[in-house]
Amino acid sequence: MFSFELIAQSIESRARAGVIRTSHGVVETPVFMPVGTRGSVKSVSPEELLAAGARIILGNTYHLYLRPGCDVISRFAGLHQFMHWDGPILTDSGGFQVFSLAKLAKISEEGVTFQSHLDGSSHLLTPGKVIDIQNCLGADIIMCLDDCIQYPATREESLAALEITTKWAQRCKQAWQETKNGRNALFGIVQGGMFRDLRERSAEELMKIDFPGYAVGGLSVGEPAEVMLEMADDTLPNLPETKPRYIMGVGTPENLIELVALGTDMFDCVLPTRNARNGQVFTQQGTLNICNAKYRHDTGPLEPDCACYTCQNYSRAYLRHLYMAKELLAYRLNTLHNVYFFLNLMRQVREAIVQDEFDRFRKQFYKRKSTKRRSSHEKKS
Amino acid sequence: MFSFELIAQSIESRARAGVIRTSHGVVETPVFMPVGTRGSVKSVSPEELLAAGARIILGNTYHLYLRPGCDVISRFAGLHQFMHWDGPILTDSGGFQVFSLAKLAKISEEGVTFQSHLDGSSHLLTPGKVIDIQNCLGADIIMCLDDCIQYPATREESLAALEITTKWAQRCKQAWQETKNGRNALFGIVQGGMFRDLRERSAEELMKIDFPGYAVGGLSVGEPAEVMLEMADDTLPNLPETKPRYIMGVGTPENLIELVALGTDMFDCVLPTRNARNGQVFTQQGTLNICNAKYRHDTGPLEPDCACYTCQNYSRAYLRHLYMAKELLAYRLNTLHNVYFFLNLMRQVREAIVQDEFDRFRKQFYKRKSTKRRSSHEKKS
């Protein structure tokens, strides 16, 4: 069971609001998906994620395949029961991690051979195997194996990766249809490096194969934000309007706003969770680092008017103390705030789209940030 | 506001049930106090502690004095508001940590000079200062400064420590009375090493000074469990029956049961929290190490019939996976179970005392453990 319905379309931009229906529940789009790499969104519980507004989370096939392994997760009714998360789950194909984490990745039409970053053991991921693993994990949305190239890449490299991505996508579609259980949806992934025409060609080839949804991969890999937005701007209109569009691994609150304006429905990124563990906290007026000595006596919350558990119950002084003392609770409280910030931003974005006020919301978003910058500057001068 | 009321007294042993009333709420005894060294019971939230059954927690004066410091905590209505814990708090005097963690502790009648384990800075803790700091922290039960000797110690060392402990106790009592705000209670601490007559003398001297409650310090410092129990057995009957009796820094579930039988009302120990972070989990049938490969595919909870959050929602296989992957959630879920185990044990102990079935409970407790040992042995043979 999977469907996507468009609810509203902004007049001033390509921003849109929709609803994804899965067998584990409904997801309103645009949506941000917190990342639970190894079967846990680091430091927080499923109940806390739900309370923060999370409706769908991401799991990483590469990590879960290597540890604990499908033999373990198959004892449970998939990842949902294993990790005690009842809502929708999207799993990636593992391709990105193979190319970024594993050693000696070797690519052929058959698939990709790599050595585990954990114990050096050798593995072969084929399109068919990637579908099998994701079926075992029981995710609601699963992804095709794709060839993720580094940035910068030449036109030749980008073309070669595109071509193999298309071939793998065909075989993934076939494997998915053969093992179809009616409970998950398979998304294709657009590649093509930073070349407009290659991105266009990749999108066309994937649409011919026909998927329930489309992702744009290979962005936010080191290129300037303008190039990333340009690629998205070119690629997104080529994808079918009636299907969800997912930009993988992006990004900052600004990136999210701009990509929504270009018609993106789904996002995932480790930014809110990873940065929280490094003491960086997101607020409407920009980021703050909780280590900063100026918060030592600060009895106020991370962000005034924030409704998250952390801001409702703890001060900056306490959070700074926990962080300086390396207390485990520090990572959790910072994470809860950051995750809430991202989820709440997307809720506001969606509401603005539905009310046809997205453009105004976007302007206000940047105004709040520039107010902060001006006032910080004034203090210094 | 502070009072202690005896509710029930076991006929077969010296075990007793009581109620401590503080300005932050009521505590039923015998009670186990989870340790929140630096203003946080490591990895868990106040709401989770409450749900696990915690009614009073402990904070460490030494740690909080050094970081974040009284200048920070005094901006809040004490430690309660700082750490978002509304229930009763007991703080130790810092003495134990000065002798175990700090460098170059020098003792005089005035107090103890030490170097911070954090930055080497030099500090002097006097009886008066220890009361001031604990008043600033706003704890409901505060402790006298005592001279904690190492084990083994000679009779001369034990006597000298006893004498200085008594002198400090007099000055603590005086400082407490001078700064008395009517909101906290000061406990004296019995010392005297492993010498019965010195323990007796220490108890007598403290009772002459007269405190709202009495602790036994200097136990569980490396001596055999039998010696510890012997010292407690000798010391506890010398303390007034109408006042709460607290044995500091103890111990295993077996220690707790035996010390309750000897008439102890209060306990604190890092055992459930620290061991949880090392993967050791307490069950009615003994401890288990979650790293063990035999739990890899184990879909059952840590302990069948356990009502804690962890056992209600997660399997041993998942907890093992989290622990092996060093996921932050692992420490929290193990801690929640262990804390629940200790708190639930004390609830059962209290209920047994009230029903005058403590002796039967105690026998059952050991029977369950020996059943485990026998069945493990059978499997091996």
Side-chain angles (χ1 to χ4, degrees), chain B residues 275-288:
Chain B
N275 290 23
R277 299 194 305 282
N278 294 326
Q280 195 187 51
V281 168
F282 288 86
T283 77
Q284 294 199 348
Q285 300 177 342
T287 56
L288 64 82

Side-chain angles (χ1 to χ4, degrees), chain B residues 88 121 195 198 282 307 343-344 350 377:
Chain B
S121 57
F195 300 91
L198 298 186
F282 288 86
L343 295 170
N344 192 46
R350 188 177 199 274
H377 186 256

Side-chain angles (χ1 to χ4, degrees), chain A residues 39 47 68 71 296 309 318 327, chain B residues 39 47 68 71 296 309 318:
Chain A
E47 288 85 354
D71 60 319
R296 188 155 190 270
Y309 169 74
Y318 182 66
E327 280 288 335
Chain B
E47 289 85 353
D71 60 318
R296 187 155 191 270
Y309 170 74
Y318 182 66

Side-chain angles (χ1 to χ4, degrees), chain B residues 26-308:
Chain B
V26 164
V27 178
E28 298 191 319
T29 63
V31 67
F32 180 82
M33 304 181 283
V35 179
T37 300
R38 302 182 292 198
S40 166
V41 176
K42 292 193 193 308
S43 83
V44 299
S45 71
E47 289 85 353
E48 287 169 331
L49 284 173
L50 209 59
R55 292 298 171 261
I56 176 169
I57 61 173
L58 185 141
N60 286 118
T61 292
Y62 170 86
H63 289 280
L64 292 164
Y65 161 71
L66 291 180
R67 184 171 60 188
C70 283
D71 60 318
V72 170
I73 295 184
S74 62
R75 302 289 177 101
F76 298 81
L79 190 53
H80 295 88
Q81 191 194 316
F82 184 59
M83 71 179 287
H84 174 52
W85 168 260
D86 256 354
I89 295 178
L90 180 149
T91 46
D92 62 8
S93 68
F96 181 77
Q97 277 77 25
V98 164
F99 295 108
S100 59
L101 284 181
K103 282 175 191 164
L104 295 175
K106 276 177 202 159
I107 300 163
S108 69
E109 254 194 65
E110 189 192 4
V112 52
T113 310
F114 67 95
Q115 289 194 302
S116 159
H117 74 292
L118 293 175
D119 61 5
S121 57
S122 196
H123 300 268
L124 169 66
L125 278 189
T126 64
K129 187 158 182 189
V130 151
I131 298 300
D132 284 346
I133 299 170
Q134 292 182 87
N135 278 336
C136 160
L137 295 175
D140 301 276
I141 301 175
I142 68 177
M143 304 300 296
C144 286
L145 186 62
D146 59 334
D147 184 355
C148 305
I149 49 175
Q150 291 187 317
Y151 176 83
T154 64
R155 187 177 170 84
E156 288 65 39
E157 291 164 337
S158 303
L159 177 61
L162 179 170
E163 287 175 339
I164 211 153
T165 295
T166 300
K167 282 176 187 156
W168 286 350
Q170 281 163 332
R171 287 170 49 206
C172 278
K173 173 86 186 276
Q174 197 184 340
W176 176 63
Q177 282 179 316
E178 283 164 5
T179 59
K180 210 166 180 173
N181 52 23
R183 279 198 301 263
N184 60 18
L186 175 65
F187 281 25
I189 306 177
V190 175
Q191 290 289 349
M194 303 302 159
F195 300 91
R196 290 179 179 203
D197 60 323
L198 298 186
R199 289 267 167 195
E200 194 174 326
R201 176 173 154 189
S202 178
E204 268 172 30
E205 290 180 357
L206 292 175
M207 284 191 292
K208 270 183 211 150
I209 306 172
D210 188 24
F211 291 99
Y214 295 87
V216 182
L219 293 186
S220 203
V221 289
E223 78 281 10
E226 303 80 59
V227 176
M228 187 264 285
L229 290 173
E230 207 179 292
M231 285 300 121
D233 192 12
D234 288 337
T235 306
L236 290 166
N238 293 324
L239 296 171
E241 231 186 294
T242 56
K243 303 280 176 74
R245 303 160 179 169
Y246 163 27
I247 296 202
M248 305 182 79
V250 182
T252 63
E254 294 79 2
N255 292 161
L256 265 53
I257 300 261
E258 293 312 307
L259 290 169
V260 163
L262 298 175
T264 313
D265 305 304
M266 302 166 68
F267 302 93
D268 79 284
C269 195
V270 296
L271 201 67
T273 43
R274 179 178 292 164
N275 290 23
R277 299 194 305 282
N278 294 326
Q280 195 187 51
V281 168
F282 288 86
T283 77
Q284 294 199 348
Q285 300 177 342
T287 56
L288 64 82
N289 197 310
I290 199 62
C291 302
N292 198 313
K294 71 179 171 188
Y295 303 128
R296 187 155 191 270
H297 296 101
D298 194 334
T299 56
L302 288 176
E303 179 160 39
D305 307 324
C306 175
C308 85

